[in-house]
């Protein structure tokens, strides 16, 4: 096996002294502190980024407020055209962006190209199309008339101001684009705070946004640890928070936003997503679905399935076939185009997954496949299949955010629905069946923001995405 060669511009970018992106340019941080960015496939440090401080936060917020004053007055068509130009630039620089993303996150190169870049461009064009279609309403009030007068009222959709976008490490480009595109098309400015594990691609995209015609200050990028996000959320000069990440961190962000003058907050949080397979599904097709739902990007997708419910009569066949398929996966470097399964994104997460393997053994779960780290440099984890003993087992209740599929058999369809709805989360779920009438009956009974039928994980910008209950 061999890695694709890094483009010269990628190597040059990684060698840069990375500052912060404020007021349309790269600037040095007021802080002397830096954070190392590590390639999870090799364990090698590939770059250093600034760990922003309070002075940097103030500078970014001031810049964003100046940018808002200008951008909020831009015509809808102007906003849409800038997003369209940025989409073109993402595609023009597709390989560069994908390689940077793969180097920092360990995402296999095919997924970096198809999801982080291609899908990001697709979402930008979708949002650009909304620029000239946002409108208010004209209303006729039922107020009493004293002298024959009549009344008319109207509503306006107005930009809220400076948005704070806090982005996770698993899809650092695509999720950031969701946040910045929706903010920019409505006339808001935005400050993106990427994860400290995957900050590099966003610094490059900010440069492309200026090339696309975005005025200085409308998009700012601050790198650093959790104190940066907290400082932005609590800053009196920010007006809206959009956060994607874990439930505990999301709760903390929500509390900080409420304590900072009731700042508006949108929280897209984690889950313990379920996939239910009805008895009529062929074993091979079920296994295809399980791999799609649970093992794409090493399971590091907020909407990925972690709980799998299979009819008791099919459980042995499904587990045996799945174990064989996972054993044949090509595990290797994410820069090798033949690799099918790469590392997890950082060492702390790898060790967290190792702890879950120990917990499964302590609870006498049956490890059908995997359950260990892979003995090679980097942050590799075996794709793992676990058969639980009961609904109370840890692996059926705590989000692992990794390539761990935990199974439990069911005997009736009513039991299946109860199993899928068990727990505090409600982000996504999938139902697999050849029976359309059963699908139409069961989908409304599944308590999740998104329910797929015979597919999982894939998203379209025209379809709403969000959770219920503790998933935000």
């Amino acid at each position: 096996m061999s890695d694709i060669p890094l483009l010269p511009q990628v190597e040059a970018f990684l060698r840069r002294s990375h500052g912060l992106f404020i007021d349309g340019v790269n600037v040095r941080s007021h802080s002397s502190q830096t954070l190392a960015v590590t390639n999870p496939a090799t364990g090698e440090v590939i770059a250093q980024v600034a760990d922003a401080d309070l002075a940097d936060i103030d500078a970014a917020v001031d810049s964003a407020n100046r940018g808002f004053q200008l951008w909020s007055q831009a015509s809808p068509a102007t906003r849409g055209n800038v997003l369209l130009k940025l989409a073109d630039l993402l595609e023009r620089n597709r390989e560069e962006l994908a390689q940077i993303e793969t180097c920092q996150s360990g995402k296999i190169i095919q997924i970096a190209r198809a999801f982080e870049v291609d899908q990001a461009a697709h979402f930008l064009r979708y949002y650009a199309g909304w620029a000239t279609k946002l409108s208010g309403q004209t209303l006729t009030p039922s107020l009493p008339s004293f002298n024959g007068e009549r009344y008319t009222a109207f509503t306006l959709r107005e930009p809220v101001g400076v948005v704070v976008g806090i982005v996770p490490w698993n899809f650092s480009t695509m999720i950031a684009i969701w946040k910045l595109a929706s903010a920019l098309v409505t006339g808001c400015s935005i400050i993106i705070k990427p994860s400290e594990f995957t900050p590099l691609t966003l610094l490059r995209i900010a440069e492309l946004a200026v090339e696309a015609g975005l005025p200085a200050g409308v998009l700012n990028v601050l790198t650093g640890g959790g104190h940066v996000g907290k400082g932005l959320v609590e800053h009196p000069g920010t007006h809206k928070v959009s956060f994607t990440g874990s439930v505990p961190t999301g709760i903390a962000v929500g509390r900080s936003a409420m304590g900072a003058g009731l700042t508006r907050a949108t929280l897209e949080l984690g889950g313990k997503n379920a996939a239910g397979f009805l008895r009529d599904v062929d074993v091979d097709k079920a296994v295809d679905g399980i791999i799609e739902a649970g093992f794409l990007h090493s399971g590091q997708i907020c909407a990925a399935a972690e709980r799998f419910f299979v009819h008791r009569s099919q459980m042995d066949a499904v587990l045996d076939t799945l174990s064989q398929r996972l054993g044949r996966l090509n595990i290797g470097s994410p820069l090798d185009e033949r690799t099918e399964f790469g590392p997890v994104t950082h060492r702390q997460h790898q060790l967290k997954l190792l702890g879950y393997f120990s917990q499964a053994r302590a609870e006498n779960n049956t490890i059908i496949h995997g359950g260990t780290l892979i003995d090679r440099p980097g942050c590799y984890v075996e794709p793992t299949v676990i058969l639980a003993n009961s609904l109370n087992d840890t692996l059926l209740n705590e989000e692992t955010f990794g390539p761990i599929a935990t199974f439990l058999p069911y005997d009736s369809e009513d039991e299946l629905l109860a199993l899928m709805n068990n727990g505090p989360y409600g982000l996504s779920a999938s139902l697999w069946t050849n029976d359309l009438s059963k699908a139409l009956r069961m989908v409304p009974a599944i308590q999740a923001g998104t329910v797929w039928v015979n597919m999982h994980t894939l998203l379209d910008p025209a379809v709403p995405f969000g959770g219920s209950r503790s998933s935000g």
Side-chain angles (χ1 to χ4, degrees):
M1 296 185 181
S2 59
D3 290 356
I4 60 172
L6 291 182
L7 298 172
Q9 57 265 44
V10 172
E11 293 180 330
F13 180 83
L14 295 178
R15 288 194 300 266
R16 280 195 204 174
S17 176
H18 295 283
L20 307 169
F21 195 86
I22 298 175
D23 214 29
V25 293
N26 289 292
V27 300
R28 293 187 63 179
S29 170
H30 291 86
S31 168
S32 61
Q33 301 299 310
T34 61
L35 297 172
V37 180
T38 301
N39 183 338
T42 64
E44 298 174 351
V45 174
I46 57 172
Q48 298 280 342
V49 296
D51 189 10
D53 63 11
L54 290 176
D56 297 320
I57 292 170
D58 285 340
V61 173
D62 288 345
S63 171
N65 274 286
R66 291 192 302 272
F68 172 71
Q69 296 302 318
L70 176 64
W71 187 244
S72 62
Q73 300 305 308
S75 71
T78 296
R79 299 174 196 161
N81 286 335
V82 169
L83 293 187
L84 291 173
K85 290 175 183 176
L86 180 56
D88 291 342
L89 287 169
L90 291 191
E91 291 181 337
R92 192 178 307 162
N93 295 273
R94 178 183 191 247
E95 187 63 15
E96 176 191 354
L97 295 171
Q99 288 187 10
I100 294 171
E101 180 60 33
T102 290
C103 287
Q104 71 174 358
S105 71
K107 192 174 282 102
I108 64 174
I109 189 66
Q110 297 95 326
I111 293 178
R113 291 166 179 158
F115 287 88
E116 292 283 41
V117 183
D118 295 350
Q119 277 293 95
H122 180 48
F123 273 82
L124 278 169
R125 293 191 175 103
Y126 172 80
Y127 280 107
W130 273 103
T132 57
K133 300 174 183 64
L134 298 172
S135 62
Q137 291 180 306
T138 301
L139 307 169
T140 302
S142 297
L143 298 172
S145 175
F146 296 98
N147 294 300
E149 70 275 14
R150 300 184 65 180
Y151 301 93
T152 298
F154 64 90
T155 63
L156 295 174
R157 289 186 178 270
E158 298 180 316
V160 69
V162 176
V163 177
V164 176
I166 302 177
V167 179
W169 45 259
N170 61 325
F171 278 91
S172 60
T173 298
M174 185 170 68
I175 293 176
I177 290 295
W178 296 352
K179 297 182 187 303
L180 70 86
S182 55
L184 298 182
V185 78
T186 54
C188 298
S189 60
I190 187 166
I191 305 170
I192 293 286
K193 193 279 176 188
S195 166
E196 59 268 38
F197 298 108
T198 55
L200 298 174
T201 317
L202 261 296
L203 291 170
R204 180 70 182 106
I205 288 175
E207 296 174 346
L208 295 178
V210 172
E211 187 178 338
L214 193 67
V218 180
L219 169 62
N220 300 271
V221 179
L222 287 188
T223 59
H227 64 280
V228 178
K230 181 177 173 61
L232 289 169
V233 171
E234 296 178 349
H235 200 287
T238 63
H239 310 100
K240 161 79 182 181
V241 178
S242 176
F243 170 84
T244 301
S246 70
V247 173
T249 305
I251 291 172
V253 167
R255 286 174 176 164
S256 292
M258 293 302 101
L262 300 178
T263 300
R264 301 182 188 191
T266 300
L267 309 175
E268 193 268 283
L269 308 180
K272 190 68 179 175
N273 308 307
F277 295 82
L278 297 193
R279 196 173 180 177
D280 61 83
V281 179
D282 174 79
V283 168
D284 288 327
K285 290 183 178 179
V287 169
D288 288 342
I290 292 164
I291 292 173
E292 173 189 322
F295 294 96
L296 185 69
H297 187 31
S298 299
Q300 300 170 117
I301 301 174
C302 58
E306 295 192 9
R307 300 182 297 142
F308 294 86
F309 302 108
V310 175
H311 193 270
R312 192 177 302 275
S313 66
Q314 293 180 303
M315 182 64 79
D316 289 345
V318 167
L319 293 179
D320 181 63
T321 304
L322 177 60
S323 181
Q324 293 179 41
R325 287 278 301 278
L326 293 178
R328 295 195 296 267
L329 282 180
N330 190 349
I331 301 174
S333 167
L335 284 171
D336 187 325
E337 293 178 322
R338 291 166 293 183
T339 293
E340 298 172 298
F341 188 88
V344 296
T345 296
H346 57 87
R347 182 73 65 192
Q348 294 95 313
H349 190 46
Q350 182 194 37
L351 296 177
K352 174 186 172 183
L353 296 172
L354 181 61
Y356 279 119
F357 298 152
S358 298
Q359 184 67 29
R361 291 185 173 94
E363 295 179 5
N364 294 317
N365 295 159
T366 302
I367 297 180
I368 304 296
H369 184 89
T372 62
L373 306 185
I374 298 176
D375 185 16
R376 60 180 293 162
C379 303
Y380 287 83
V381 176
E382 287 270 11
T384 297
V385 179
I386 293 174
L387 180 61
N389 296 314
S390 77
L391 198 56
N392 296 322
D393 290 348
T394 299
L395 271 295
L396 283 175
N397 290 278
E398 293 186 13
E399 182 181 27
T400 68
F401 210 67
I404 305 175
T406 304
F407 287 76
L408 196 69
Y410 72 90
D411 293 300
S412 70
E413 291 170 4
D414 287 341
E415 181 189 10
L416 172 61
L417 288 172
L419 291 171
M420 294 181 72
N421 289 333
N422 183 70
Y425 304 108
L427 183 58
S428 71
S430 60
L431 186 69
W432 302 75
T433 179
N434 297 312
D435 191 324
L436 178 61
S437 63
K438 286 185 178 180
L440 292 174
R441 175 178 61 83
M442 296 177 73
V443 163
I446 298 172
Q447 298 170 12
T450 298
V451 181
W452 291 280
V453 176
N454 296 338
M455 62 179 293
H456 201 109
T457 302
L458 300 179
L459 302 175
D460 185 274
V463 179
F465 177 71
S468 61
R469 300 186 288 171
S470 294
S471 293

